[in-house]
Amino acid sequence: MSEIPEKMQAVVCHGPEDYRLEEVVVPTPGPGEALVAVEAVGICASDLKCYHGAAKFWGDENRPAWAETMVIPGHEFAGRVVQLDDAAARRWGIAVGDRVVSEQIVPCWECRFCRRGEYHMCAPHDLYGFKRRTPGAMASYMVFPAEALVHKVPGDIAPQHAAFAEPLSCSLHAVERARIQFEDTVVVAGCGPIGLGMIAGAKSKNPMRVIALDMAPEKLELATRCGADLTINIAEEDAIAIVRDLTEGYGADVYLEGTGHPSAVGQGLNILRKLGRYVEYGVFGSEASVDWSIISDDKELDVLGAHLGPNCWPAAIAMIESGRLPMDEICTHQFPLAEFQKGLDMVGSGRESVKVSLIPEAAV
């Protein structure tokens, strides 16, 4: 292991659409903490929302920017342990040189939600890369606080694949919320990183069929490789009619929404059967309006939200390690940290990539 330098490169948020690559001091871990050399950090829709500032993202000036200024972004990552004390090593079961990931939220372990085991809804809600007290991973090094949830990842997995444990855990949590049963017809809207993970997770529950919806043929092809039994290009086909034909006119049992597009909400309510289950995970850029009578008087639907990936990280890591997912086709683009703007712009375009990652150059 090389000597830890005094300075490192990091992306720093100075405000909406003002992210800068700067030289900053390498953080020093405190008692019970770990210093980690970042090997890969993914860019997701939440990062893009923060970059543009919530007010511009939503078109609502009453909404503040999502991230604090002078914070290092990045909440989905993998890296190598370079420094830790005995307390951290015992708590997390890790050692210097191990490849590790940390769950995106650093719980307080004291609020009502944490005390009930619902740590993903922790009241202070300190996620890496959103607040100054929990700097993120768009840097050469980062610190895992003592309160963090840390998991070891096999060292032979590519760093960008290991970092995909974060979005995959989110997908699996949405699948858990759906309570999928053997005879279910499951529809997944969107074949981006979250949707592809939903497809793989839903397929692992062995329902009757998993159907993927998207407008991009290449993403629908990737959905098939992730486990979809049927794909529907909603730009060319009537998804509601097709699903009803497959289900004797009833509709789907489960709808998992992973696009964040307002039109996908009404689509889901209409594609579901009576007493069906709708799970929302998308990050929306504008408000969605629907006919609530479909939810209540017409169908008596269960409409569920899903947030983060509580208790799903070991399963996500195991799924990546198993080779069941076409990880090279999912993790499509990797850029050096200095090209963070190129990465953000590519994610923002929506059609050029699936998962974009930045690869810092830590001296380890």
Side-chain angles (χ1 to χ4, degrees):
M1 196 70 60
S2 302
E3 183 178 350
I4 300 168
E6 294 183 1
K7 297 290 187 69
M8 67 177 183
Q9 283 194 325
V11 177
V12 180
C13 169
H14 287 262
E17 299 183 357
D18 186 8
Y19 283 22
R20 308 174 195 174
L21 185 70
E22 299 180 356
E23 187 175 70
V24 301
V25 175
V26 172
T28 301
E33 299 183 335
L35 181 66
V36 174
V38 180
E39 294 182 303
V41 52
I43 302 175
C44 82
S46 293
D47 292 310
L48 201 66
K49 184 175 181 179
C50 288
Y51 172 72
H52 288 299
K56 181 172 181 179
F57 192 87
W58 281 89
D60 182 352
E61 294 302 323
N62 293 319
R63 290 178 180 267
W66 236 36
E68 294 179 353
T69 57
M70 305 310 295
V71 68
I72 298 171
H75 64 277
E76 51 182 74
F77 48 80
R80 296 274 184 179
V81 179
V82 296
Q83 186 178 334
L84 79 171
D85 61 16
D86 291 340
R90 286 194 303 270
R91 184 189 317 111
W92 295 322
I94 60 175
V96 169
D98 284 346
R99 175 169 288 152
V100 288
V101 294
S102 179
E103 298 195 23
Q104 64 279 79
I105 191 167
V106 181
C108 72
W109 301 114
E110 296 177 356
C111 70
R112 172 189 293 185
F113 301 107
C114 285
R115 292 198 306 269
R116 292 179 175 180
E118 299 159 338
Y119 68 89
H120 64 300
M121 301 306 295
C122 174
H125 225 68
D126 292 335
L127 273 71
Y128 290 107
F130 295 90
K131 297 182 181 180
R132 296 186 195 99
R133 58 176 170 257
T134 48
M138 291 189 186
S140 300
Y141 295 89
M142 68 183 300
V143 166
F144 288 179
E147 298 80 11
L149 291 154
V150 177
H151 305 276
K152 189 165 18 175
V153 182
D156 57 353
I157 295 176
Q160 64 270 22
H161 298 176
F164 192 71
E166 193 279 339
L168 183 54
S169 72
C170 295
S171 301
L172 297 185
H173 176 50
V175 169
E176 293 275 81
R177 293 279 281 163
R179 305 187 309 276
I180 293 170
Q181 302 176 30
F182 291 129
E183 295 186 354
D184 283 347
T185 291
V186 180
V187 175
V188 177
C191 297
I194 294 294
L196 293 171
M198 288 174 171
I199 291 164
K203 185 66 175 180
S204 71
K205 295 289 186 178
N206 293 313
M208 181 72 71
R209 59 178 69 89
V210 177
I211 301 172
L213 311 182
D214 205 287
M215 299 176 68
E218 64 276 11
K219 289 185 178 180
L220 289 169
E221 181 179 346
L222 190 52
T224 299
R225 297 191 60 191
C226 289
D229 300 295
L230 175 68
T231 62
I232 301 174
N233 188 325
I234 59 172
E236 301 172 354
E237 302 173 278
D238 186 337
I240 295 173
I242 293 172
V243 171
R244 285 180 178 168
D245 286 344
L246 288 169
T247 57
E248 300 178 321
Y250 289 104
D253 303 279
V254 173
Y255 181 81
L256 298 166
E257 202 293 301
T259 71
H261 195 284
S263 65
V265 180
Q267 172 184 260
L269 299 181
N270 285 292
I271 213 167
L272 283 168
R273 63 163 171 83
K274 294 179 180 181
L275 301 175
R277 301 181 297 285
Y278 180 114
V279 180
E280 180 57 63
Y281 207 104
V283 176
F284 285 78
S286 59
E287 293 181 353
S289 298
V290 298
D291 180 357
W292 277 77
S293 62
I294 299 173
I295 299 169
S296 57
D297 189 51
D298 291 358
K299 294 186 176 181
E300 195 177 319
L301 301 176
D302 286 344
V303 178
L304 304 167
H307 178 60
L308 304 186
N311 306 308
C312 292
W313 283 71
I317 293 167
M319 185 175 285
I320 294 168
E321 185 181 10
S322 72
R324 290 166 51 195
L325 293 173
M327 291 305 303
D328 286 332
E329 286 78 13
I330 293 173
C331 298
T332 51
H333 294 80
Q334 295 86 47
F335 298 110
L337 193 64
E339 296 182 23
F340 72 91
Q341 189 65 56
K342 184 176 181 179
L344 286 166
D345 293 343
M346 178 171 283
V347 174
S349 72
R351 295 297 295 265
E352 299 177 60
S353 63
V354 179
K355 170 53 64 178
V356 177
S357 302
L358 301 177
I359 309 296
E361 297 180 2
V364 296

